[in-house]
């Protein structure tokens, strides 16, 4: 579990091989939807060869007027849901690989959050 504020601060510094992670939704609308979307790839490029999005659920009491930064997310592989599959070029062909999307997205995010939380304790 992590607050949206901690997630946002962690994502700000997360970049690997030119790929970035970012909050890809309006956090103020997230409470209504029940999840926060996190993008991975190139924030300036929306084609699915370069960018994928995953959702994490908001947990706990979401009272009206709560600051978006105080929303608590469950960051866990079992709750990480892709918004749409990404595509990859393999041997000159475009292929879908949801597992590859997840393996590129989740482990670096998990490591960055663990590092961030260890620094705070």
């Amino acid at each position: 579990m992590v607050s949206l504020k901690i997630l946002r601060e962690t994502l700000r510094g997360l970049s690997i091989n030119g790929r970035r992670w970012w909050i890809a939704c309006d956090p103020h609308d997230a409470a209504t939807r029940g999840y926060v979307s996190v993008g991975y790839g190139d924030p300036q490029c929306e084609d699915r060869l370069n960018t994928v999005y995953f959702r994490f659920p908001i947990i706990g009491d979401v009272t009206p007027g709560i600051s978006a930064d105080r929303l608590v997310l469950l960051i866990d592989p079992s709750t990480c849901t892709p918004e749409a599959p990404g595509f990859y070029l393999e041997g000159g062909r475009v292929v879908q690989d949801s597992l590859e999307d997840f393996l590129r997205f989740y482990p670096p995010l998990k490591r960055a959050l663990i590092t961030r939380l260890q620094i705070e304790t």
Side-chain angles (χ1 to χ4, degrees), residues 4-59:
L4 183 59
K5 178 183 179 191
I6 296 295
L7 178 62
R8 181 182 290 130
E9 291 170 357
T10 302
L11 296 180
R12 231 180 263 140
L14 187 54
S15 176
I16 299 174
N17 297 328
R19 300 246 179 204
R20 301 197 48 80
W21 286 251
W22 68 95
I23 302 296
C25 67
D26 182 343
H28 299 288
D29 294 335
T32 304
R33 287 190 315 269
Y35 65 85
V36 169
S37 293
V38 176
Y40 164 72
D42 181 351
Q44 305 304 316
C45 183
E46 292 188 21
D47 85 45
R48 292 182 3 203
L49 281 172
N50 296 307
T51 306
V52 293
Y53 301 90
F54 289 89
R55 296 176 181 169
F56 290 104
I58 296 171
I59 60 171

Side-chain angles (χ1 to χ4, degrees), residues 41 77 120:
E120 286 190 3

Side-chain angles (χ1 to χ4, degrees), residues 57-89:
I58 296 171
I59 60 171
D61 185 25
V62 180
T63 56
I66 188 172
S67 166
D69 281 344
R70 296 187 63 199
L71 295 173
V72 176
L73 307 174
L74 183 56
I75 307 293
D76 185 81
S78 67
T79 65
C80 182
T81 307
E83 289 191 6
F87 295 102
Y88 298 90
L89 291 173

Side-chain angles (χ1 to χ4, degrees), residues 84-99:
F87 295 102
Y88 298 90
L89 291 173
E90 288 183 7
R93 296 180 48 229
V94 176
V95 296
Q96 239 180 291
D97 191 341
S98 297
L99 180 58

